[in-house]
Amino acid sequence: MIEELLAALAGAAAATAVYAGAAARVVKQYERGVVFRFGRLRDDVRPPGFTMIVPVVDRLHKVNMQIVTMPVPAQEGITRDNVTVRVDAVVYFKVVDAADALVRVEDYKFAVSQMAQTSLRSIIGKSDLDDLLSNREKLNQGLELMLDSPAMGWGVAIDRVEIKDVSLPETMKRSMARQAEADRERRARVINADAELQASKKLAEAAGVMSAQPAALQLRLLQTVMAVSAEKNSTLVLPIPVELLRFLERAAPAPGQAEAEAGSPPHPLSEAYLRSRATLADPIEDLTGSSVEPALHEDGA
């Protein structure tokens, strides 16, 4: 009798262990458990931790509640301004209702992927090329709204949508490069013209100041000579100062006086003038050792 009782207890314990092993389930922290009993959905969604189900009768499906990163394959389309582009994106979404994600859609990941591709093509057709290149934030928001509306009925929430890259044809890239180059050249020419205008105004002001003081021109000439003669083994052609020529013109006799004195000996000023011209024609050695040759200009030149 005792042996039969012990055998029955052992059998019951073994059956209990088998039942517990078949009924015990563990739901992870990032998962939720959805139970179907005879194919019907149970209202209670099992939270994370240890849980029990009825073997053979219940079926437990675990749904991942983490944010899923899904790349959207590159879609080729024509923009509103008739430019062919290839655009790829990435979608971040998560399951907010585990029961709806299993019951309302067969495969929510595949459904979100197809909806993202369709919405991306629609966005390409509604946008201009400039918007795709520079106004991506607005396009991302519009794409997110297009995906979030149907996804909420599947128990899925779209967390974020980002356009990754926009690929352009090579011909379009070259055209844009030429346009950018032309624009930069235009700006460079405008800047150079503005600089020339400012420089001409300053030169006009300097000329006005120098015209009031003729000696300033000679000082400027000497500065130029010093700047050029700083380089060794350089030859400088030095023009005769205009003031010296004017002095010689004033000292020369008038035409009538020259005829009256035709029989008189030559005027000594002419000899002094010739001597001065011969002296100025000789090369002048400057302080730096460079050869400086003055250029002689005739009065009528």
Side-chain angles (χ1 to χ4, degrees), residues 4 22 31-32 42 61 105 109 197 225 253 257 285 301:
E4 294 177 357
E31 294 177 338
R32 297 295 183 271
R42 298 282 296 181
H61 296 271
V105 64
K109 291 184 179 180
L197 177 60
V225 171
Q257 184 179 358
E285 296 294 333

Side-chain angles (χ1 to χ4, degrees), residues 272-284 294:
Y273 175 64
L274 293 176
R275 285 197 301 271
S276 63
R277 288 172 59 91
T279 304
L280 292 174
D282 295 334
I284 301 174

